[in-house]
Amino acid sequence: MSSHRSAASPPSGDLIAALDIGGTKIAGALVDRDGVLLHRARRATPAQESADALLGAVHEVVSALAAGPLWGAVRAVGIGSAGPIDLTRGTVSPVNIPAWRDFPLVESVARHPALAHRQVMLAGDAVAMTAAEHRHGAARGHKNALCLVVSTGVGAGLVINGSVHHGLTGNAGHLGHISIDFDGEPCPCGAKGCLETIASGTAITRHALALGWQPPLTADAAAVAAAARAGEAAALAAFDRAARALAAGIAATAALVEIDIAVVGGGVAQSGEVFFEPLARHLRRYAAMPFLQDLRVVPAELGPDAGLVGAAVLASAGVPPATTVLVDGAR
């Protein structure tokens, strides 16, 4: 049931080959129907290199997976990628991978020789995490949910009426880029005052430093969290500000689509109560309508493997034709 489990025994049924592509790593695994990772591979993302070099690293991960004894049980490939993505064309334009702009990722991955006659499915990384938490994690049993990844950025995905909601292009639920502060600082996306500029781990660190926090060694969100647990005022204020912004975004989403649970994962969620206590407190303030009284926010359960598990969940469930490519390029 949990994505952080692993096993070496033969699968009881079909397997999915899953890829999780981000700005620092390209992870791969063979995933069974219970969300168990049976075989792994990983490469560093050559994020500043050419498009071909990046694709080469992805193909290396696929080759490493295909070299194992379980490859014959693989029936499809699921990819969770940093975005934005475009499901209608199978392309990606990750903010933190400059060489990939409108890059035809699905078609390019599908041409790996080991993927002959296997479908390749694409999803945004936060949508993949959402699928994992809905099937195997903290959103299990909920028909309407919001799942968030709060790390160097803020990503999110929606479950509506029991199904993961991709949207027209695969970017639905992009909570990190709703404006919380109309006159706030510029966001790399081009807008101002985006939630990501306030609630991300990067923003927490930046705000703590602006308030006078003195980092012991490394200045990052984990260090700010340690300072907050020690009672340092600047660190506590930075987490409170981030939690307030995130609570406002969650409450707005709940008012729009009537979710009853928000699941929060990512590096910032590992901060524990210094993050979740103010988040729950501010959520009670912003989720004021009577139909939002049962709204809860809880930690994610699946950890860093959620993207792989979710990509497998989505590929296993089947996808709209426009998001799938076979090795011969036929859609």
Side-chain angles (χ1 to χ4, degrees):
M1 182 174 73
S2 170
S3 70
H4 54 263
R5 292 183 298 153
S6 61
S9 58
S12 58
D14 291 339
L15 298 181
I16 302 295
L19 299 174
D20 183 8
I21 300 174
T24 60
K25 74 176 189 313
I26 300 166
L30 304 185
V31 186
D32 74 8
R33 64 181 63 178
D34 295 320
V36 178
L37 276 61
L38 300 172
H39 178 51
R40 299 172 182 260
R42 178 173 172 148
R43 299 287 185 275
T45 303
Q48 303 304 316
E49 296 186 23
S50 69
D52 287 343
L54 286 156
L55 180 61
V58 176
H59 278 195
E60 286 178 13
V61 171
V62 174
S63 295
L65 296 177
L70 301 177
W71 185 255
V74 171
R75 63 182 176 88
V77 181
I79 304 174
S81 174
I85 68 171
D86 188 339
L87 290 185
T88 62
R89 297 187 297 148
T91 61
V92 299
S93 301
V95 173
N96 51 4
I97 303 179
W100 277 359
R101 290 294 174 267
D102 296 320
F103 182 76
L105 182 63
V106 173
E107 183 177 353
S108 299
V109 170
R111 294 193 181 282
H112 188 288
L115 300 184
H117 310 300
R118 292 179 171 96
Q119 289 187 325
V120 178
M121 175 267 178
L122 173 66
D125 51 3
V127 174
M129 175 268 192
T130 299
E133 290 290 339
H134 184 233
R135 176 69 63 84
H136 300 292
R140 196 168 52 250
H142 292 265
K143 289 188 174 181
N144 299 282
L146 173 69
C147 297
L148 303 103
V149 181
V150 184
S151 187
T152 53
V154 177
L158 285 165
V159 176
I160 298 177
N161 294 330
S163 298
V164 174
H165 182 63
H166 293 270
L168 296 176
T169 63
N171 297 289
H174 225 107
L175 194 66
H177 294 286
I178 66 169
S179 182
I180 294 296
D181 182 357
F182 296 150
D183 298 315
E185 63 183 270
C187 177
C189 78
K192 280 190 174 183
C194 287
L195 178 61
E196 188 170 292
T197 68
I198 302 173
S200 68
T202 306
I204 290 170
T205 305
R206 187 169 60 247
H207 191 62
L209 290 168
L211 293 176
W213 172 62
Q214 298 292 325
L217 291 172
T218 303
D220 59 18
V224 180
R229 284 190 287 272
E232 292 191 33
L236 287 166
F239 267 97
D240 187 79
R241 177 176 179 262
R244 182 180 177 187
L246 197 64
I250 292 170
T253 303
L256 187 65
V257 296
E258 283 203 75
I259 59 167
D260 62 0
I261 191 168
V263 177
V264 186
V268 172
Q270 301 304 310
S271 303
E273 281 303 297
V274 296
F275 174 64
F276 279 99
E277 186 281 326
L279 180 57
R281 173 164 39 85
H282 287 301
L283 188 62
R284 289 192 295 272
R285 173 184 175 188
Y286 288 113
M289 296 291 285
F291 65 89
L292 300 179
Q293 289 182 355
D294 294 330
L295 176 62
R296 296 186 300 128
V297 59
V298 300
E301 293 182 1
L302 301 186
D305 289 333
L308 289 168
V309 174
V313 167
L314 293 170
S316 179
V319 293
T323 70
T324 308
V325 168
L326 297 177
V327 71
D328 63 1
R331 290 184 181 269

